[in-house]
Amino acid sequence: MRYALEDALKNGAYRDAATELLFQLADDDFILAYRGSEWLGLAPHIEEDVAFSSISQDTMGHAAMFYQLLHGLGAGDPDHLAHARPAAERKNAVLLELVNGPGTYLTEPHYDWAFAVVRNYFYAQAKKVRIEALKNSSYQPLAEAAVKVNMELYYHLLHWKTWFTQLLSAGGEAKTRMAAAMEKVFEELDGLFSYGAQGEEFTKHKLIDSEDALKARWLQLMSPVFESLDLKMPEKFAMKSGNGRNGEHTEDLQTALDTLGEVYLFDPAASW
Amino acid sequence: MLKGKVIEALQSVKDPEIDSVSIIELGMLEELEITTNKIVIKLLPTFMGCPALDIIKSNVIKAVSSIEEAGEVDVQFIFHPPWTSDRVSEAGREKLKEFGIAPPPRHIEETGEWQADCPYCGSTYTTMENLFGPTACRSILYCKSCKNPFEAMKPVSTLM
Ligand SMILES: [Zn+2]
């Protein structure tokens, strides 16, 4: 059965599961869009600066839409949900919260472009798989949102795949740094596929396909790319720094939220 | 008729980034509900993160509120059905070209690649320079015939 908003509001267990899933979707896009915005002015060249900020803007737009859906389910004010929730309540994957590299936006940023490319490419592909599954979600408003997100995501994926392929075909330092970046991303990648402690509720209510199904689909789509670049897919991924879906996070998230919160708490009514 | 006046008012609201093309010509209007004391206008955003949405909303309210018989004006952005680039009208496509922007191509290769004709000389001999242009909905291409860089509106379809 397909649930409209009114149906979801009448069924407590269903509403809770949909809310939990939406927090994961919203928080993932929100924190990665924030990390992307920190790159402004620092990308390898001006065209990339334009492209990356455009992608981050789209991604923040997706987060805003998911927070809006949460608002509909009674989770609270969308601006508050985005800016004022403490780290322990955040449901994003740890991979997406990690800093871009040493330094900060204001003081000597030495950001790692290889890490940006790998993280964004792997995420864009995972998001694509997830959004495809969400098109068939039992929650009608989410299925509709997925159709819209999918069309924009298409371009993001194309963009990051191009960077990934080019840097790995370049050899030399690029290849070494990409290898190091991939190692770092694989260490947290399982956290991106996890649904956390309440994941069984998602599949029970047919909100989305299982973790395993999505991960298998990701591997299936990545394999030809890896093969063409002579890369080896690890047997297993890890979740070294904890499961963000259960509210476990690194210091990096807290620092980011402090920075974001300063602006928001200063003027909660300001439009963003 | 009030409806006609509302459409006329909406026709006067332009995309803040391409000020010759109206939101009607871009295919953003999805629904218009007119009751005795309220006008509800449902618009489809072209791209979700579009920073111009707030401006469009306030311009719509301004334009429609200026109609004498209009009561309360409510503008909503909805995303179902999704906006797709084939919603741009023929008039919209012509005006984009006049503005120096190639209209969204109607054909996309299976690989996701697409081509747009040069809005200046009409040549098909063009190359993609940057998929992401100055705004979310545009890309930058280069015409090898008249040697001009130009922008094209990205094709967006549910088939992607
Ligand atoms: Zn030309």
Side-chain angles (χ1 to χ4, degrees):
Chain A
M1 123 167 217
R2 281 266 171 141
Y3 285 73
L5 174 60
E6 307 83 72
D7 306 319
L9 290 176
K10 276 182 237 154
N11 181 336
Y14 186 87
R15 184 179 67 177
D16 289 349
T19 300
E20 183 67 21
L21 175 59
L22 278 166
F23 268 123
Q24 296 183 9
L25 302 172
D27 289 346
D28 272 2
D29 277 341
F30 179 77
I31 197 67
L32 191 63
Y34 171 74
R35 288 299 177 210
S37 72
E38 287 188 308
W39 269 100
L40 192 64
L42 302 169
H45 47 71
I46 180 78
E47 289 82 6
E48 180 53 31
D49 226 36
V50 173
F52 199 178
S53 64
S54 173
I55 290 174
S56 299
Q57 209 171 68
D58 286 349
T59 307
M60 194 54 96
H62 302 164
M65 183 173 63
F66 292 131
Y67 287 124
Q68 192 64 47
L69 291 179
L70 279 162
H71 174 64
L73 288 170
D77 172 66
D79 278 359
H80 175 88
L81 294 178
H83 291 99
R85 283 158 51 238
E89 286 177 22
R90 300 267 167 175
K91 300 295 162 67
N92 63 273
V94 166
L95 173 64
L96 309 177
E97 76 199 32
L98 300 177
V99 292
N100 292 314
T104 69
Y105 181 71
L106 293 172
T107 54
E108 298 188 41
H110 294 288
Y111 291 172
D112 182 356
W113 185 246
F115 179 59
V117 168
V118 176
R119 169 160 73 177
N120 278 285
Y121 176 43
F122 287 14
Y123 177 67
Q125 186 64 74
K127 185 172 167 183
K128 175 83 179 157
V129 166
R130 187 158 78 181
I131 289 291
E132 288 290 350
L134 287 171
K135 284 189 193 171
N136 299 313
S137 176
S138 63
Y139 189 39
Q140 185 72 29
L142 181 52
E144 289 167 0
V147 175
K148 183 66 189 161
V149 170
N150 188 54
M151 293 190 284
E152 301 182 8
L153 186 57
Y154 173 85
Y155 285 113
H156 302 179
L157 184 55
L158 200 61
H159 180 80
W160 294 118
K161 187 178 175 181
T162 306
W163 266 108
F164 185 80
T165 311
Q166 280 175 356
L167 287 179
L168 278 161
S169 312
E173 198 205 337
K175 196 159 193 166
T176 322
R177 285 184 53 189
M178 287 294 281
M182 275 191 277
E183 198 173 316
K184 191 171 162 186
V185 171
F186 282 130
E187 281 178 353
E188 302 295 346
L189 195 57
D190 262 342
L192 182 58
F193 294 108
S194 171
Y195 293 155
Q198 296 171 59
E200 275 179 25
E201 294 292 306
F202 298 175
T203 37
K204 190 178 119 192
H205 292 291
K206 300 205 165 32
L207 285 161
I208 190 168
D209 292 339
S210 72
E211 286 174 13
D212 289 347
L214 264 55
K215 189 172 165 180
R217 182 91 185 106
W218 187 90
L219 283 167
Q220 188 194 348
L221 290 163
M222 278 298 196
S223 293
V225 180
F226 269 59
E227 270 163 36
S228 73
L229 294 165
D230 222 0
L231 297 171
K232 215 175 149 309
M233 185 69 75
E235 294 285 315
K236 268 183 166 176
F237 309 145
M239 191 157 51
K240 215 177 110 196
S241 312
N243 191 341
R245 311 298 188 202
N246 296 338
E248 297 162 16
H249 294 287
T250 63
E251 201 49 43
D252 289 1
L253 179 63
Q254 190 56 55
T255 315
L257 294 178
D258 289 345
T259 311
L260 275 159
E262 270 168 38
V263 187
Y264 175 72
L265 294 172
F266 179 68
D267 182 9
S271 167
W272 54 286
Chain B
M1 276 297 286
L2 182 54
K3 188 174 177 188
K5 286 185 190 170
V6 174
I7 301 271
E8 203 179 307
L10 291 174
Q11 181 65 36
S12 77
V13 179
K14 312 292 182 185
D15 178 337
E17 283 154 354
I18 316 166
D19 61 16
S20 63
V21 189
S22 83
I23 58 170
I24 298 250
E25 288 157 347
L26 286 173
M28 289 175 70
L29 178 65
E30 173 61 18
E31 221 180 298
L32 191 54
E33 278 171 37
I34 303 179
T35 51
T36 27
N37 46 19
K38 196 172 180 184
I39 298 176
V40 181
I41 299 157
K42 294 185 181 170
L43 301 175
L44 307 180
T46 51
F47 279 72
M48 291 304 306
C50 180
L53 294 182
D54 279 344
I55 306 172
I56 291 175
K57 186 173 177 171
S58 72
N59 287 348
V60 167
I61 292 175
K62 223 180 290 170
V64 178
S65 302
S66 68
I67 301 169
E68 212 173 304
E69 313 91 290
E72 189 193 336
V73 180
D74 181 16
V75 178
Q76 298 169 10
F77 285 104
I78 57 171
F79 44 79
H80 180 76
W83 180 86
T84 48
S85 53
D86 56 12
R87 293 180 64 109
V88 180
S89 70
E90 275 310 317
R93 295 177 72 87
E94 281 311 308
K95 286 186 185 171
L96 281 170
K97 267 193 249 174
E98 284 164 24
F99 199 75
I101 296 176
R106 291 186 166 117
H107 177 72
I108 307 168
E109 303 289 332
E110 234 159 70
T111 55
E113 278 160 60
W114 49 270
Q115 283 273 307
D117 299 347
C118 174
Y120 303 113
C121 72
S123 169
T124 53
Y125 193 38
T126 61
T127 54
M128 178 66 68
E129 291 281 296
N130 193 347
L131 193 52
F132 293 88
T135 73
C137 54
R138 288 185 254 163
S139 300
I140 300 168
L141 288 84
Y142 180 76
C143 175
K144 288 185 171 173
S145 296
C146 69
K147 310 217 181 307
N148 277 309
F150 65 92
E151 291 176 15
M153 215 166 160
K154 279 183 204 164
V156 172
S157 105
T158 49
L159 300 175
M160 288 170 157

